[in-house]
Every structure is written in C-alpha cells, then in structure tokens.
Amino acid sequence: MRFLNQPATDLTYSDVFLIPSRSTVTSRLDVDLSSGDGTGTTIPLVVSNMTAVSGKRMAETVARRGGMAILPQDVPLDVLRSVTEWVKQRDTLYETPLLMTAGDIVIDAVHLMSKRSHNAVVVVDGSDFVGVVRGVDCEGVDRFSSLASVMRSNVLTLDAVPFDDIRKQADAGDLDFAAAKDQTDAALRSAFAVLDAAGTDYAPVLRDGEVVGVLTRTGALRSTIYQPALDAAGRLRLGVAVGINGDVAAKASALLDFGVDALVVDTAHGHQEKMFDALRAVRSLSPSVPVAAGNVVSAAGVRDLVEAGADIVKVGVGPGAMCTTRMMTAVGRPQFSAVLECSTAAAGLGAHVWADGGVRYPRDVALALAAGASQVMIGSWFAGTYESPGDLQVDATGRQYKESFGMASARAVQNRASAEGAFERARKGLFEEGISTSKMYLDPARPGVEDLLDMITAGLRSSFTYAGASSLAEFRERAIVGVQSAAGYEEGRPLPQSW
C-alpha cells in the first residue's frame, strides 16, 4: 500500500479512500479472498468474541461461508465443549433445520423461527419428515394450537443422493477438489432450478425419508460462490477466546482437546505483563492451531506480543460501537493508522494482524485489508442479525432489534464475575468502559448474517478488481490510498432521495 498524499495526522477509515488502478482482473469471481494467516478461512472475516454476537448459530453459519467466529471467554468450559462438538457435527453444505414435532405448539415455533433466517420449522416423527411450518402458517391462528393443525405435508423436498454420491467419490479419491466442486455446483444449480420452478425458497433435504438438512434458493446460490472454512477432517472451523486471569494454560489445554481451530488470548489492554505471561503459558502447550492475542495499537505492542508467542495480533483500542474507552480514558488510536503501523511491524516478524473494531461499511473492511490486516473482526454489525445469540425483540414502531453490550461494560463484567462475592462484583462494576445495553436493529433488507456477508464480500471483490488485485496479498501491494476531507467522505455517500 502507498499513500497518494501524505497524511499529517493519524487516520480513521472515514479519512481515507482507494484510488482505482489498471486491472487485468476480468471478473469479481476470479478474486481469492482467503486470509493466508493460517486460520483456514476463505473470506477475511472473523466474528468478534462478544457475548451478544458470537454463539453456536453464528459460528456454524459464518464458517459455512468461509469465515470464523470466536466464542467469548466468559462461557463455561462444559458449554464450550458442547458448542464445539455441535458446530463440528454440522453439515458443510446444508443449513441446519429447526426440528419440532406435530404435538408442539405454534407459539414455540414462532419463537424458534427467529433464530434462523429461513423462518421455518420442519416437523418430524423421530428423524422422519412429516411436514413444514412457515411463518405465514402461524399468522392469525391460536398460539396454543398444535403444529399438526397448521403444518403443510405436501411440500417440496430435495433428495440428498446427488450430493451424497459426489461426496463418496471425493472421499474415495475418485474426484479431485476441482472436479468435486464442479459437480457440486452443478447439483446446486439443479436444486436452485427445482426451487425456482416450484415458486418456493425453502426445502428440507431428505435421505431415505430422514431430514438431514435444508436448502434455500439463496443458500444454493451462495454455496456456488463461497467455500466453507474447514479443518483437516473436513469439519467447520471455530475459535475460542481465553482471558489472562486464572489458569490460562489449563483452559487453553482443554480447548485444544475439544478441537477448536484458533485460540485468542484477549484483554482490553494487550500490552502488559499479564498478557505476556498468559501467551507464554499457551505457547508452552505447543498448540498446533494459530494463537491470536491483543489488543494493541502500536508497533511496540506487536513486537512484544509476537515475542511472547502470538501468531496473530489483534489491533484496535476504542473504535468499537459498544466501547467507551476513548471517551472515558482518552486511550486508543484512529483505527486505519493503528492497523497500518501494526501490520507493517507484524509482517517484518512473520506474523499477521486482525483489525478489530470500527468497521461500519464494506469500504471500511476493504481499507483495513489494504492497510495490511489479514482479517477483519466484526462485532456490533453482526449483533443485529437472526444468528446472534440474543432474543429478537420489537420496539414501539414495529422495528426488530436485538440487545448488544460491550465486553468491558458493567453487564459483561457482572457476567464474568458471577462466581465472586456480591461486594467484589459491585466494585468491579464501577469500572465499566462499555455500553451495557444497546438496540442493534435488524436491517429489513439484510436481516441475516449471510446477507451481510454477501454485501461485505461483494464490496471486497469489487475493491480488489478496482485495484487490479486477484488476492489479498496483491491487494495489499497494489492499493493506493488517499486522504480526504469530511466533505470528500460526505460526497461519496448515496442519497436516499433527491435534493
């Protein structure tokens, strides 16, 4: 990356823009978005380890599209074990169905539907398919009616056999990756055509009458574009965060035994001795997965974390939507400049950085990658989606939202300190540096995290083609960044109506 005009101050994402260059890249689909930092992701996006953002549904969905979610550090070990097992057992192609029985009631189905963007439940008898209940089927009926009274049994279903045959041939070595991908894409095109001809966007996938997943019209299309982030055994990837207090080595060892694919040693102030001790404790286990650590905003912080054992450094202090650190303490740094300096230092040490926080538009993600980040962590932006852990709520105007909160807020501190005495919890609550409750509204046009992934990756692919880059490494090398005024930024904003 080089500057078109030299900056006089540190810069945020809004302060800069990208210049188009001569390009030989003829298609957005020719762009490879793989991160290249050892995490195995095929798009450069990581879900932040925030309690209100990252859970099992988020981890499954994002990994299926090539990213990776980091589960929060304040989740009990037994829960982390079960979530890791659950995610690893998910199908890499089919979406996970919401299963209920004919004897269940409508109100329970309505509550469950909001957990998935396809807005449907599959009614089963054991594992055998019985019918489907969509959101529209639950409108205007008694909320305590059984699903048997509203379900539809004469609905479109898809056979798993074509996909099973391709997988068997690939597992036997009869198909290489490219051939298996081509045949899978052809089968997905056929499934898309069947759904389109039937005028439906949803169908359960059956194997000998048993439900093994669901395919949606858009899901079939996405699966021809995205490559899932898979471990060596062909299972979906996920990471887990650990703090710097307590027996860090014991927790990290347990997580490695569970089969997690990345460890993130996380604290708000990553440039401190306790962090170095925690990193050395994790590194003493000789983990075979990447170890990320942070957060810092300076080259000195990067050097010390890498020396202590970090493969990846998380960069960002105060840019997050839920964070009040800068207003409370004056500590932090404009994020674009922080990422640029830290990534330069990391590259010289053979390490990588994740840009953590401050992205609100696809352009910001592109700029973080241009500045040298291998991946971008997203938190609050994904909080307002079906897949985030919170319950879907509706405000007085009818808009849907979910509650979010910062990980240094009084609410988060109370959760982490739940095992301590009331006095200790109350005292820690005085030192909050984050918002304890915020409404994160669902975008009606993009209510699911996959919708946001589509928007972000579409923007990235176009950014790469404008720069003449077909990979992340080429994008970093070729990007030309200019500094702009506030008026320059405003000029680039679309107008929802005429002036």
Side-chain angles (χ1 to χ4, degrees):
M1 193 213 88
R2 66 178 177 88
F3 278 109
L4 178 70
N5 42 0
Q6 288 301 314
T9 63
D10 273 5
L11 304 167
T12 69
Y13 296 131
S14 299
D15 291 325
V16 291
F17 60 93
L18 290 165
I19 293 288
S21 301
R22 182 168 179 168
S23 177
T24 59
V25 182
T26 57
S27 170
R28 295 179 182 90
L29 295 179
D30 291 338
V31 170
D32 179 7
L33 293 177
S34 300
S35 62
D37 59 9
T39 58
T41 58
T42 60
I43 60 173
L45 300 174
V46 178
V47 182
S48 297
N49 47 294
M50 296 172 64
T51 306
V53 179
S54 188
K56 66 179 186 179
R57 291 188 303 277
M58 183 69 73
E60 170 205 357
T61 305
V62 171
R64 190 176 288 117
R65 300 309 174 203
M68 183 169 64
I70 309 299
L71 299 179
Q73 67 191 55
D74 52 4
V75 178
L77 271 177
D78 60 331
V79 176
L80 290 172
R81 179 193 294 110
S82 64
V83 170
T84 301
E85 291 175 353
W86 187 88
V87 171
K88 293 293 184 182
Q89 292 169 0
R90 297 308 94 191
D91 196 274
T92 60
L93 179 64
Y94 312 134
E95 296 176 40
T96 300
L98 300 171
L99 302 177
M100 301 186 76
T101 68
D104 291 324
I105 59 177
V106 168
I107 192 169
D108 292 334
V110 170
H111 290 157
L112 196 58
M113 286 178 190
S114 64
K115 306 297 184 182
R116 298 281 181 180
S117 58
H118 45 63
N119 195 36
V121 299
V122 179
V123 181
V124 294
D125 180 6
S127 298
D128 293 335
F129 174 75
V130 176
V132 169
V133 177
R134 305 297 302 267
V136 67
D137 300 324
C138 300
E139 296 177 2
V141 300
D142 185 346
R143 286 293 193 257
F144 295 95
S145 299
S146 69
L147 294 186
S149 66
V150 297
M151 74 176 183
R152 306 182 188 195
S153 56
N154 187 24
V155 296
L156 175 70
T157 61
L158 297 172
D159 197 335
V161 168
F163 301 102
D164 290 345
D165 288 345
I166 296 169
R167 288 174 172 177
K168 289 176 182 176
Q169 292 180 65
D171 291 342
D174 297 331
L175 291 176
D176 60 19
F177 176 82
K181 178 71 168 64
D182 288 343
Q183 291 193 23
T184 300
D185 286 355
L188 288 166
R189 284 176 176 270
S190 297
F192 180 95
V194 171
L195 289 161
D196 192 53
T200 184
D201 61 353
Y202 175 93
V205 180
L206 309 183
R207 181 182 297 120
D208 297 327
E210 293 188 358
V211 180
V212 295
V214 298
L215 267 181
T216 64
R217 187 174 178 274
T218 307
L221 180 65
R222 286 176 175 136
S223 292
T224 66
I225 299 173
Y226 295 97
Q227 285 297 312
L230 305 178
D231 62 18
R235 305 171 302 177
L236 297 175
R237 290 180 178 267
L238 81 162
V240 178
V242 296
I244 61 174
N245 297 312
D247 193 340
V248 177
K251 181 172 183 179
S253 178
L255 294 173
L256 292 171
D257 289 342
F258 299 164
V260 304
D261 301 288
L263 292 174
V264 179
V265 187
D266 183 63
T267 190
H269 179 27
H271 201 186
Q272 59 165 300
E273 291 299 328
K274 286 188 72 174
M275 167 59 81
F276 306 148
D277 292 341
L279 259 177
R280 284 189 281 266
V282 172
R283 187 54 68 186
S284 71
L285 302 172
S286 300
S288 59
V289 302
V291 177
N295 284 31
V296 298
V297 292
S298 67
V302 170
R303 287 192 291 269
D304 288 343
L305 288 179
V306 173
E307 182 182 352
D311 303 304
I312 299 165
V313 176
K314 293 205 304 137
V315 176
V317 174
M322 295 295 103
C323 188
T324 62
T325 298
R326 291 191 193 172
M327 294 299 103
M328 291 285 290
T329 70
V331 173
R333 189 177 185 182
Q335 186 70 344
F336 181 82
S337 293
V339 173
L340 181 59
E341 179 178 308
C342 291
S343 66
T344 302
L349 299 169
H352 305 272
V353 303
W354 288 350
D356 183 11
V359 292
R360 292 164 175 80
Y361 303 98
R363 70 178 302 278
D364 302 336
V365 179
L367 287 164
L369 298 174
S374 66
Q375 303 207 62
V376 179
M377 295 193 83
I378 298 178
S380 296
W381 200 358
F382 287 169
T385 61
Y386 289 125
E387 291 81 7
S388 66
D391 290 327
L392 192 64
Q393 302 185 55
V394 180
D395 71 6
T397 67
R399 292 184 65 191
Q400 294 180 321
Y401 71 93
K402 288 191 176 183
E403 279 196 353
S404 185
F405 55 92
M407 291 308 289
S409 66
R411 180 172 176 177
V413 171
Q414 287 283 332
N415 290 341
R416 282 198 293 274
S418 59
E420 299 181 17
F423 181 84
E424 286 74 14
R425 293 199 307 272
R427 184 166 59 176
K428 287 183 177 180
L430 295 176
F431 296 93
E432 69 170 284
E433 289 179 18
I435 297 173
S436 286
T437 180
S438 179
K439 293 179 180 178
M440 306 307 294
Y441 285 97
L442 275 68
D443 182 347
R446 301 179 183 89
V449 70
E450 290 174 297
D451 301 320
L452 295 180
L453 294 179
D454 291 343
M455 179 175 68
I456 294 168
T457 57
L460 289 181
R461 290 179 183 278
S462 289
S463 293
F464 279 42
T465 59
Y466 273 116
S470 60
S471 68
L472 190 53
E474 286 186 8
F475 186 59
R476 292 191 202 106
E477 178 67 27
R478 295 179 59 87
I480 303 173
V481 173
V483 181
Q484 65 186 349
S485 65
Y489 178 79
E490 188 63 27
E491 181 185 61
R493 295 173 65 89
L495 298 174
Q497 61 187 34
S498 67
W499 56 95

